[in-house]
C-alpha cells in the first residue's frame, strides 16, 4: 500500500494506525513527495485511512515493487534533464556516443555529429566495467570533467556509468544522468546511494536479471528518495551464442504496462553486432520504447571498447533519421 502524505505531515500517527492493522511501514521522502509504503496482509478499508489527517491519497498496490508500479501512478513519468531535454511521456529520446570516453578530440567529433543531427544527450563511460582486467578501464574522473566541460559548451547533456558508492559524490556535479550498468543492477548499496541524489538515474537490466528484478532495483532508488528514474533493456544472457546478448524486446511493453517509468532500449549491448544494431533499435521503437541509447564513434574499428557493436557517423545519422520516421509511424498506428 502507498500512502501519500502532505509534505509536512507527521508520519507517526499514520504509522501507528497501520501498525495496529499489522502493517510494517517505510517512510519515503523524495524530491517531490512524502510517502509511506505499507507492507501487510490484512484487508484494509483505504477510505478510512484516507480520512486520517495529513493523508493525501491511499493506493493498494499488490506488486512486490510499489512506488515504481503503474498500479498507483497511471500517468507515465517524464524525466526532465533541463534545457528542453526530456525523456518519456510520448516523446522519443535519442542518446548516442562511444562506449568509452577516450580523448578530447574523440569527444569533439562525437559532439559535432550529435549537434548536426539534433541529438542532445550523449553517452560515454569514464569508469568502465570490463570482463578482463587487462582491457581499457576508462579515463576516470579527469575524463568526466572534460566530458562535462565540452558537453556544456555545446548544449549537450551527458549520461555516464557510476560503478561504486564512493564515485557518486565525486561524479555528481559533472553528470546529467547516472547510468547503473548491467553488472551493478543489484548493487543495493549503490542503488541506495543514488536514491540520495537529485540527478536522474538510468538502471540497466542485469545480465541474467528478470524484469521483476529490474523493477525491484528501481524501487530501491525510488524508496531511497529519488523519483527521477529510467529503466533500460540491454539484452540478457541466454543459451544463444550467435549474438552477444539476447535483446528482450518483450520487456518493453511489459515494463510499460507494469511501471510508470520511461523505458529505454540499448540495442548495441543487446545484440552486440554493429550491422544489426539499427534494425533492433527501430524494432524497439515500434515495441514502445521511450528512448534508444546506442554506441557511436568516428572510427569504430579503433574504439577503445565495444567497437564491434559501435556505429560510425554515417550509420548513426541514418539511424537517427530512421528512428524519427519509425517513431512518427508509431504515433500514426492505431
Ligand atoms: C555500457 O553502456 O557501455 C555498458 C558497459 O553497458 P552494460 O552495463 O549494459 O553492459
Ligand atoms: Mn559498451
Amino acid at each position: 500500500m502507498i500512502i501519500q502524505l502532505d509534505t509536512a505531515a507527521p508520519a507517526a500517527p499514520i504509522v501507528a494506525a497501520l501498525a495496529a492493522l499489522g502493517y510494517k511501514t517505510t517512510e519515503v521522502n523524495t524530491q517531490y513527495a512524502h510517502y509511506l509504503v505499507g507492507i501487510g496482509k490484512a484487508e484494509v478499508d483505504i477510505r478510512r485511512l484516507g480520512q486520517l489527517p495529513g493523508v493525501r491519497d491511499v493506493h493498494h498496490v499488490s506488486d512486490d515493487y510499489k512506488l515504481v508500479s503503474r498500479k498507483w501512478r497511471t500517468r507515465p513519468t517524464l524525466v526532465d534533464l533541463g534545457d528542453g531535454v526530456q525523456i518519456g511521456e510520448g516523446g522519443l529520446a535519442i542518446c548516442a556516443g562511444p562506449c568509452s570516453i577516450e580523448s578530447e578530440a574523440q569527444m569533439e567529433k562525437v559532439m559535432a555529429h550529435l549537434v548536426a543531427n539534433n541529438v542532445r544527450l550523449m553517452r560515454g563511460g569514464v569508469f568502465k566495467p570490463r570482463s578482463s582486467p587487462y582491457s581499457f578501464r576508462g579515463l576516470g574522473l579527469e575524463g568526466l570533467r572534460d566530458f562535462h566541460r565540452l558537453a556544456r559548451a555545446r548544449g549537450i547533456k551527458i549520461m555516464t556509468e557510476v560503478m561504486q558508492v564512493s564515485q557518486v559524490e565525486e561524479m555528481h556535479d559533472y553528470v546529467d544522468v547516472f547510468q547503473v550498468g548491467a553488472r551493478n543492477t543489484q548493487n543495493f548499496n549503490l542503488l541506495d546511494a543514488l536514491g540520495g541524489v537529485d540527478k536522474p538515474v538510468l538502471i540497466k537490466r542485469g545480465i541474467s536479471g528478470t524484469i521483476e528484478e529490474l523493477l525491484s532495483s528501481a524501487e530501491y532508488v525510488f524508496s531511497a528518495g529519488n523519483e527521477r528514474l529510467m529503466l533500460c533493456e540491454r539484452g540478457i544472457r541466454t543459451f544463444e551464442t550467435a549474438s552477444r546478448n539476447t535483446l528482450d524486446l518483450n520487456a518493453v511493453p511489459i515494463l510499460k504496462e507494469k511501471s510508470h517509468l520511461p523505458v529505454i532500449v540499448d540495442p548495441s549491448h543487446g545484440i552486440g553486432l554493429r550491422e544489426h544494431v539499427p534494425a533492433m533499435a527501430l524494432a524497439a521503437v515500434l515495441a514502445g520504447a521511450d528512448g534508444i541509447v546506442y554506441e557511436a564513434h568516428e572510427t569504430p574499428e579503433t574504439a577503445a571498447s565495444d567497437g564491434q557493436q559501435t556505429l560510425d557517423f554515417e550509420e548513426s545519422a541514418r539511424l537517427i533519421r530512421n528512428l524519427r520516421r519509425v517513431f512518427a509511424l508509431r504515433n500514426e498506428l492505431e
Side-chain angles (χ1 to χ4, degrees):
M1 175 188 320
I2 296 174
I3 300 167
Q4 191 172 350
L5 303 179
D6 289 332
T7 325
I14 300 144
V15 171
L18 281 163
L21 296 165
Y23 273 69
K24 187 178 157 297
T25 48
T26 302
E27 191 172 351
V28 173
N29 279 295
T30 73
Q31 60 271 76
Y32 302 129
H34 183 191
Y35 310 95
L36 289 176
V37 177
I39 307 291
K41 291 209 166 20
E43 281 284 324
V44 174
D45 182 350
I46 61 173
R47 288 166 300 187
R48 287 184 55 195
L49 282 177
Q51 281 159 11
L52 294 175
V55 173
R56 202 174 272 188
D57 220 343
V58 186
H59 305 264
H60 261 308
V61 181
S62 49
D63 301 320
D64 283 344
Y65 45 88
K66 308 282 179 200
L67 294 158
V68 304
S69 172
R70 202 162 177 185
K71 291 211 173 111
W72 79 281
R73 185 177 281 174
T74 51
R75 204 172 147 201
T77 290
L78 179 79
V79 176
D80 192 347
L81 305 187
D83 302 318
V85 183
Q86 297 183 327
I87 299 160
E89 219 180 59
L92 181 71
I94 301 177
C95 175
C99 179
S100 299
I101 294 300
E102 296 164 14
S103 65
E104 286 209 11
Q106 175 228 26
M107 284 186 270
E108 276 174 356
K109 284 175 184 152
V110 175
M111 287 178 191
H113 164 68
L114 297 183
V115 169
N117 288 282
N118 197 23
V119 170
R120 311 238 340 260
L121 182 56
M122 177 166 161
R123 58 147 291 142
V126 294
F127 295 110
K128 295 302 304 178
R130 303 305 303 277
S131 300
S132 163
Y134 308 116
S135 301
F136 177 63
R137 297 211 236 168
L139 294 183
L141 201 56
E142 209 173 308
L144 179 60
R145 287 202 193 99
D146 292 337
F147 188 10
H148 178 258
R149 176 173 48 78
L150 295 175
R152 277 293 172 275
R154 288 164 182 76
I156 289 175
K157 303 286 179 188
I158 63 180
M159 176 166 86
T160 194
E161 177 165 356
V162 56
M163 284 175 55
Q164 56 183 11
V165 174
S166 63
Q167 292 165 349
V168 173
E169 205 179 315
E170 58 187 26
M171 291 173 73
H172 179 271
D173 292 349
Y174 305 102
V175 303
D176 297 301
V177 180
F178 280 106
Q179 174 178 324
V180 175
R183 292 155 191 80
N184 257 322
T185 311
Q186 291 192 309
N187 179 341
F188 300 119
N189 293 329
L190 180 62
L191 299 174
D192 266 340
L194 290 168
V197 302
D198 190 13
K199 290 268 169 113
V201 178
L202 174 134
I203 309 176
K204 289 202 168 190
R205 181 172 178 185
I207 290 173
S208 300
T210 64
I211 290 172
E212 174 110 5
E213 283 165 342
L214 174 60
L215 290 164
S216 296
S217 295
E219 185 80 10
Y220 259 88
V221 184
F222 197 133
S223 64
N226 189 355
E227 299 198 18
R228 303 175 73 200
L229 293 173
M230 294 168 260
L231 306 168
C232 181
E233 165 59 40
R234 50 76 73 200
I236 47 174
R237 181 160 291 174
T238 68
F239 50 80
E240 184 54 72
T241 54
S243 51
R244 180 178 178 183
N245 290 298
T246 296
L247 183 65
D248 179 16
L249 289 182
N250 294 347
V252 178
I254 294 175
L255 285 169
K256 297 283 303 169
E257 180 203 335
K258 291 184 179 297
S259 176
H260 51 84
L261 298 175
V263 176
I264 312 298
V265 171
D266 172 350
S268 303
H269 295 85
I271 191 162
L273 300 164
R274 176 179 172 184
E275 60 276 29
H276 300 313
V277 166
M280 298 315 290
L282 298 174
V285 174
L286 283 178
D290 297 294
I292 303 293
V293 55
Y294 65 91
E295 292 179 331
H297 190 288
E298 189 193 24
T299 49
E301 316 70 59
T302 68
S305 54
D306 282 352
Q308 79 291 345
Q309 64 190 32
T310 297
L311 303 189
D312 67 22
F313 293 162
E314 200 182 310
E315 293 162 334
S316 172
R318 188 179 316 126
L319 176 57
I320 294 165
R321 286 195 300 277
N322 285 334
L323 283 170
R324 291 178 176 144
R325 290 169 70 186
V326 169
F327 178 62
L329 172 67
R330 182 177 99 192
N331 287 334
E332 279 172 30
L333 299 176
E334 289 179 4

